[in-house]
Amino acid sequence: MAGRPGYETFEHTADLGLYLWGCDLNELFRVGATAMLEILAEPGAAKPLQSRRLELAAESTEALLRAWLAEILYYLNTERWLAARVTINSFSPTALSATLEGEPLDLARHCLGPEVKAVTWHRLKIEPDESAPWLRATVVLDI
């Protein structure tokens, strides 16, 4: 784990795992969005030409993280819209408001990564990292 917020991937049987870390929950969610965007498409591929407002609420922080990442995936898989940048406007452990900026998917210009089918509940957790002043999350993506 580096000395700044970030993520790393890990292999998981027929899936892709993510370890995310940040100094607080807001940062952890921003890192999660960055990781998801970089996995879905080549970084910098999409341009922030359109914006979409997003409001989410969940029963737990883990459920909110899953919903957050699943919503980014939804825009690509269902609406064929690729986010380039996300801004979290307001945040609490069980709700967030965000703005996503991006553009319609153009396969002639956008180089997509592996097909992510879902953000799973498997191994999903957020916990303090005892070895550093970080929060750490584990997320598994179904690919």
Side-chain angles (χ1 to χ4, degrees), residues 74-95:
Y74 168 84
Y75 283 117
L76 177 64
N77 286 348
T78 304
E79 296 194 8
R80 310 306 287 169
W81 190 83
L82 183 59
R85 178 170 51 214
V86 299
T87 303
I88 297 175
N89 302 317
S90 65
F91 182 87
S92 78
T94 57

Side-chain angles (χ1 to χ4, degrees), residues 27-50:
E27 186 171 70
L28 191 70
F29 276 60
R30 284 195 317 268
V31 167
T34 298
M36 182 63 93
L37 293 176
E38 289 180 359
I39 288 166
L40 293 176
E42 181 179 331
K47 307 253 185 283
L49 302 176
Q50 303 169 342

